[in-house]
């Protein structure tokens, strides 16, 4: 049955002009692609727009997909680019400012970690506190499961830079979300060398 | 307990399984480092948290839009933003000073000039009307490839189509049909040359067809859509917006006697009243700043 076909078969058929295979492929990967867009872009409507642009880009470029990478990885790249494009458009609309003066982190929410620890932290909001430079690699790594070299290729960054940004992004996100709260025990993490001193 | 300050980068490497066993053991033995590690793991878990599903309609729309990008419906069309008839036609006529625009306008005028003669020639040849309406142009011309069964004679169209809105009076581009046939044909040939110069992508220009005396009666919105969407006619025009403009200007599609390309972003429609009188031009001129989808049959039906 076509709906049970693996991605390779669907891609091959779609490249050959089979629209039903293409539709199944898009339907199968839509939620994953949208999830990436949602984590990178943040807002629901913008995420949907980015996801749609990603799907369109996938369709338009499907013939160039040669199977050397996993389709999921390839589509993540496209989704990431679509999401970044959406961020650019949003930025041009002056709807939000993603980066601080150094183009790195917005840490407005870091003012009171103790309050943050007891408050409900919306993960989307937390992610939005990260600058794009950090948010995108973290999402690609932790949501998409891409390895450093793949992320390096997608973002056109040196692997060492990717590694550093992921670590720093995770650290900042941990600071925003606050100490581990399970069981009501807050843990003092002072003494661990974090990332604040890097700014 | 290690006193080494474990950086977030080291702890991140632990999470990714890239740290050596000795580092992992050292972190585990360090209370503060373990706490920080747990905190970062929690952050990672948040990133991995599922996002709310898209609304089903939005999801379907996204997939449909992507599928449309694969449909072999011709070139990607360009949005014809905002410049609506009442503004653009006035501007086109009143400010048509440059030679290129003048030549293009001449082509459109020639189109209207030809209409009465074409209609007269049909009146004595009704049995052949359907076939000739469909377009008997040269083999390379795709301008009037609309299905034969969709074509109607002017009389039949007038009987069946909607009334013309009073807003016709707003049309700025009324043209009197006073030229002689020979002059009209000569003018059309000149216009065809001009069209070739200004719209190189349109080898099958309307003007060339008009010069052959073939006038297509557009009696349904589907036919109008078909004609506009054909790549050879209007490579960068969107049929949807063109038709919307026609409707917004108060015209029934039945009143669109014929159409042709002025340039890659402008379209001329020859407009008649329902009884075939009062020929005039509707010039649609648009900007090209964004992409939109092409019109399909369902869209056409919704525009009725």
């Amino acid at each position: 049955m076509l709906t049970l076909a693996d991605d390779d078969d669907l891609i091959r058929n779609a490249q050959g002009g089979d629209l039903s295979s293409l539709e199944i492929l898009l339907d199968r990967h839509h939620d994953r692609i949208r999830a990436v867009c949602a984590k990178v872009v943040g807002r629901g409507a913008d995420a949907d727009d980015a996801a749609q642009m990603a799907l369109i880009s996938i369709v338009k470029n499907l013939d160039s997909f040669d199977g050397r990478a996993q389709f999921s990885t390839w589509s993540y790249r496209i989704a990431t680019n679509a999401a970044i494009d959406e961020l650019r458009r949003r930025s041009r609309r002056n709807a939000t400012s993603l980066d601080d003066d150094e183009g790195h982190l917005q840490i407005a929410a870091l003012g009171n970690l103790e309050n943050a620890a007891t408050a409900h932290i919306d993960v989307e909001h937390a992610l939005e506190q990260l600058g794009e430079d950090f948010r995108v690699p973290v999402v690609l790594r932790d949501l998409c499961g891409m390895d450093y070299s793949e992320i390096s290729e997608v973002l056109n960054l040196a692997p060492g830079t990717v590694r550093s940004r992921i670590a720093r992004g995770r650290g900042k996100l941990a600071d925003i979300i606050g100490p581990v709260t399970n069981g009501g025990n807050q843990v003092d993490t002072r003494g661990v060398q974090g990332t604040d001193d890097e700014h | 307990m290690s006193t080494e300050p474990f950086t977030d980068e080291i702890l991140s490497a632990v999470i990714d399984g890239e740290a050596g066993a000795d580092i992992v053991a050292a972190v585990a033995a360090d209370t503060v480092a373990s706490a920080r590690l747990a905190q970062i793991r929690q952050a990672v878990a948040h990133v991995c948290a599922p996002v709310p599903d898209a609304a089903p309609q939005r999801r379907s729309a996204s997939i449909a839009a992507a599928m449309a990008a694969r449909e072999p419906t011709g070139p990607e069309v360009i949005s014809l933003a905002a410049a609506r008839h009442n503004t653009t036609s006035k501007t086109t006529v009143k400010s048509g000073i440059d030679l290129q625009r003048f030549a293009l306008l001449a082509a459109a005028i020639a189109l209207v000039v030809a209409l009465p003669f074409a209609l007269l020639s049909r009146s004595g040849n009704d049995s052949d009307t359907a076939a000739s309406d469909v377009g008997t142009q040269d083999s390379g011309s795709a301008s009037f490839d609309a299905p034969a069964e969709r074509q109607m004679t002017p009389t039949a169209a007038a009987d069946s189509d909607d009334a013309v809105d009073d807003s016709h009076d707003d049309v700025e581009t009324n043209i009197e049909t006073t030229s002689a046939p020979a002059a009209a044909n000569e003018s059309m040939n000149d216009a065809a040359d001009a069209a070739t110069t200004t719209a190189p992508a349109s080898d099958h220009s309307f003007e060339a067809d008009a010069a052959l005396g073939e006038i297509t009666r557009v009696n349904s919105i589907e036919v109008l859509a078909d004609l506009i969407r054909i790549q050879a006619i209007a490579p960068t025009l969107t049929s949807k917006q063109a038709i919307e403009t026609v409707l917004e200007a108060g015209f029934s599609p039945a009143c669109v006697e014929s159409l042709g390309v002025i340039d890659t972003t402008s379209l001329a429609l020859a407009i008649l009243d329902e009884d075939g009188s009062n020929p005039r031009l509707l010039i649609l001129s648009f900007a090209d700043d964004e992409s939109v989808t092409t019109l399909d049959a369902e869209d056409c039906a919704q525009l009725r």
Side-chain angles (χ1 to χ4, degrees):
Chain A
M1 216 176 140
L2 197 53
T3 52
L4 299 178
D6 63 22
D7 281 357
D8 291 342
D9 291 336
L10 292 173
I11 292 164
R12 193 162 38 249
N13 292 341
Q15 287 174 330
D18 181 359
L19 294 179
S20 62
S21 292
L22 177 62
E23 190 164 15
I24 293 169
L25 190 69
L26 296 177
D27 184 74
R28 181 178 291 179
H29 289 273
H30 172 274
D31 292 350
R32 230 176 13 81
I33 288 167
R34 182 178 176 277
V36 175
C37 294
K39 297 286 185 183
V40 173
V41 175
R43 301 176 190 176
D46 289 348
D48 285 329
D49 289 345
Q52 177 169 319
M53 294 309 298
L55 291 182
I56 290 172
S57 184
I58 286 170
V59 168
K60 287 185 173 179
N61 293 285
L62 188 62
D63 289 340
S64 67
F65 176 72
D66 57 12
R68 281 185 293 181
Q70 291 285 325
F71 178 77
S72 57
T73 302
W74 183 74
S75 61
Y76 278 144
R77 280 181 207 158
I78 291 176
T80 301
N81 288 332
I84 291 173
D85 286 346
E86 183 60 35
L87 287 174
R88 301 277 189 269
R89 282 190 289 272
R90 183 197 294 177
S91 178
R92 283 197 295 270
R93 294 194 301 261
N94 295 321
T96 188
S97 174
L98 295 171
D99 300 326
D100 66 5
D101 291 342
E102 295 179 354
H104 290 162
L105 298 176
Q106 265 192 344
I107 53 174
L110 291 177
N112 192 330
L113 287 178
E114 290 184 359
N115 287 345
T118 57
H120 171 69
I121 300 294
D122 184 304
V123 65
E124 306 304 333
H125 176 72
L127 275 169
E128 284 189 15
Q129 307 313 305
L130 296 180
E132 175 190 326
D133 288 348
F134 295 90
R135 181 169 66 250
V136 174
V138 167
V139 167
L140 292 179
R141 174 67 194 142
D142 292 333
L143 181 69
C144 305
M146 297 174 70
D147 62 33
Y148 292 152
S149 63
E150 289 173 329
I151 298 170
S152 170
E153 186 180 342
V154 170
L155 300 179
N156 197 26
L157 294 171
T161 303
V162 168
R163 187 184 308 274
S164 172
R165 289 188 182 183
I166 289 172
R168 294 165 65 189
R170 284 169 169 172
K172 282 298 175 190
L173 196 59
D175 291 339
I176 294 169
I177 293 173
V180 178
T181 55
N182 54 335
N185 297 321
Q186 294 189 7
V187 180
D188 184 0
T189 59
R190 287 171 294 183
V192 175
Q193 184 175 322
T195 59
D196 285 351
D197 58 345
E198 298 176 39
H199 294 284
Chain B
M1 183 170 168
S2 171
T3 57
E4 180 182 353
F6 293 101
T7 64
D8 284 348
E9 193 151 348
I10 292 174
L11 299 177
S12 188
V14 172
I15 290 172
D16 287 336
E18 297 199 342
D22 55 334
I23 299 292
V24 174
V27 169
D30 186 312
T31 305
V32 173
S34 294
R36 179 65 176 173
L37 181 62
Q39 191 178 4
I40 294 175
R41 285 192 193 280
Q42 177 179 254
V44 170
H46 276 283
V47 175
C48 298
V51 299
D53 290 338
Q57 276 187 323
R58 188 66 177 86
R59 187 180 193 281
S60 298
S62 292
I63 293 173
M67 291 296 295
R70 190 69 167 183
E71 300 281 357
T73 54
E76 181 177 2
V77 291
I78 304 301
S79 173
L80 314 172
R84 289 307 184 190
H85 161 260
N86 284 342
T87 299
T88 56
S89 60
K90 289 177 181 177
T91 301
T92 300
V93 174
K94 289 180 176 178
S95 64
I97 297 172
D98 61 282
L99 290 176
Q100 184 180 74
R101 179 60 70 184
F102 179 81
L104 296 173
L105 185 59
I109 292 172
L111 159 66
V112 172
V113 166
L115 285 177
F117 302 104
L119 293 174
L120 280 174
S121 70
R122 287 184 187 176
S123 63
N125 192 22
D126 282 348
S127 62
D128 295 331
T129 301
S132 61
D133 280 351
V134 176
T136 55
Q137 68 276 21
D138 295 341
S139 60
S141 175
S143 297
F144 299 134
D145 282 346
E149 60 273 19
R150 285 175 151 177
Q151 304 297 321
M152 299 170 63
T153 64
T155 302
D159 289 341
S160 62
D161 288 316
D162 299 332
V164 181
D165 192 274
D166 289 340
S167 62
H168 288 180
D169 294 340
D170 295 333
V171 178
E172 186 73 15
T173 52
N174 288 355
I175 306 296
E176 296 297 331
T177 56
T178 56
S179 300
N185 281 332
E186 183 177 346
S187 175
M188 284 180 218
N189 291 335
D190 292 341
D193 292 341
T196 302
T197 301
T198 55
S202 181
D203 294 329
H204 315 294
S205 67
F206 167 81
E207 291 78 10
D209 296 308
L212 295 174
E214 299 297 339
I215 303 298
T216 294
R217 176 74 177 181
V218 181
N219 51 46
S220 75
I221 208 159
E222 288 88 350
V223 174
L224 180 59
D226 283 346
L227 292 176
I228 294 175
R229 76 187 303 175
I230 294 171
Q231 178 178 359
I233 285 186
T236 60
L237 291 175
T238 67
S239 51
K240 185 171 184 176
Q241 287 191 308
I243 290 175
E244 284 176 346
T245 304
V246 170
L247 298 178
E248 287 173 9
F251 297 111
S252 160
C255 300
V256 181
E257 180 64 18
S258 51
L259 76 166
V261 172
I262 293 179
D263 57 26
T264 55
T265 59
S266 299
L267 189 70
L269 300 175
I271 307 293
L272 296 174
D273 285 346
E274 279 191 343
D275 61 2
S277 65
N278 193 22
R280 54 208 177 275
L281 288 181
L282 176 63
I283 299 176
L284 310 179
S285 183
F286 306 93
D288 55 348
D289 57 353
E290 59 183 3
S291 295
V292 296
T293 56
T294 52
L295 188 71
D296 59 22
E298 189 176 344
D299 292 327
C300 290
Q302 290 174 351
L303 284 175
R304 274 184 182 279

